[in-house]
Amino acid sequence: IVDAKGDIIAATAADTPARLAVGANDTVLTADSSTATGLKWAAGSTPGITLINSTNFSGASSFAVDSVFSATYDYYKIICTNTSGSGSAAEVRINFRTGGVTNTAASYSYAGQARLYASATSDFSNASAITNAFVWRTNGATWAGELEVYNPYAAQRTWFTGAKMDTSEAGTVGGYFDNTTSFDGFLITSTGANIAGTCKVYGYKN
């Protein structure tokens, strides 16, 4: 029933064995009900980064980006650019969401935070029981930032790291959501005036 190196035995029906010839180099055995044996050789998945969602927003103080986290990818990168908001004390915050509901529970924790101001000073802090995943102070300036989220769709602790930059301040943060919650989206909120810009979400595999 086999006649070449790499051949395997499969079935086309009950008690009906058949030969499935080996596939090309680096292909993987894949289920496919449309083939005679229910199997085929196919190209394996390649690690890489994929644009999942791009959202332009303006004229409001909050914007939801839903249905972007799933089991398809291991990690996600959120990149916000050309984003502005007025007010010297205005902040832009990110909260995770599940099924269109924003999670504001005091379960976010910062493992560490550093900020570098125009005066060349910096501070480092640890904090727990925070009600948002990340805070970017806009200082009335155009700013850009990114947040990496690790396994948000899995019902386990969700880790995140981020960085932000504007004309007067740069900052980094690392933290986690301390409950086993599955998230599928996030909410961007401004504590000051309305914000405008672009937010892109990328997914990538190991």
Side-chain angles (χ1 to χ4, degrees):
I1 194 171
V2 294
D3 56 22
K5 178 182 178 180
D7 285 354
I8 62 174
I9 300 172
T12 57
D15 303 320
T16 310
R19 166 183 170 267
L20 179 63
V22 67
N25 288 345
D26 300 320
T27 55
V28 295
L29 192 61
T30 305
D32 185 345
S33 61
S34 68
T35 66
T37 61
L39 299 169
K40 69 178 181 182
W41 294 98
S45 60
T46 302
I49 188 166
T50 302
L51 176 64
I52 299 172
N53 179 278
S54 180
T55 301
N56 297 318
F57 48 88
S58 64
S61 60
S62 65
F63 299 89
V65 182
D66 290 322
S67 302
V68 290
F69 301 150
S70 69
T72 302
Y73 298 96
D74 302 313
Y75 308 116
Y76 293 84
K77 182 185 288 288
I78 302 168
I79 300 177
C80 296
T81 57
N82 300 321
T83 308
S84 60
S86 63
S88 61
E91 293 180 341
V92 176
R93 301 174 177 177
I94 286 184
N95 284 80
F96 299 135
R97 286 163 63 90
T98 304
V101 178
T102 303
N103 195 312
T104 57
S107 297
Y108 300 93
S109 294
Y110 294 149
Q113 180 170 297
R115 287 180 176 174
L116 180 63
Y117 298 88
S119 59
T121 61
S122 61
D123 64 67
F124 297 85
S125 61
N126 298 310
S128 59
I130 308 300
T131 57
N132 46 73
F134 198 24
V135 175
W136 293 316
R137 183 179 294 274
T138 66
N139 290 328
T142 298
W143 59 273
E146 65 177 50
L147 186 70
E148 290 201 0
V149 186
Y150 302 86
N151 290 322
Y153 197 71
Q156 62 185 39
R157 177 179 285 181
T158 297
W159 293 85
F160 52 87
T161 60
K164 168 260 181 184
M165 179 180 295
D166 66 26
T167 56
S168 63
E169 177 185 324
T172 60
V173 67
Y176 56 88
F177 187 82
D178 202 23
N179 289 327
T180 55
T181 303
S182 177
F183 300 112
D184 56 21
F186 58 93
L187 181 75
I188 301 175
T189 304
S190 169
T191 63
N194 292 342
I195 51 176
T198 300
C199 185
K200 294 185 178 182
V201 182
Y202 296 86
Y204 56 101
K205 289 179 173 290
N206 281 332

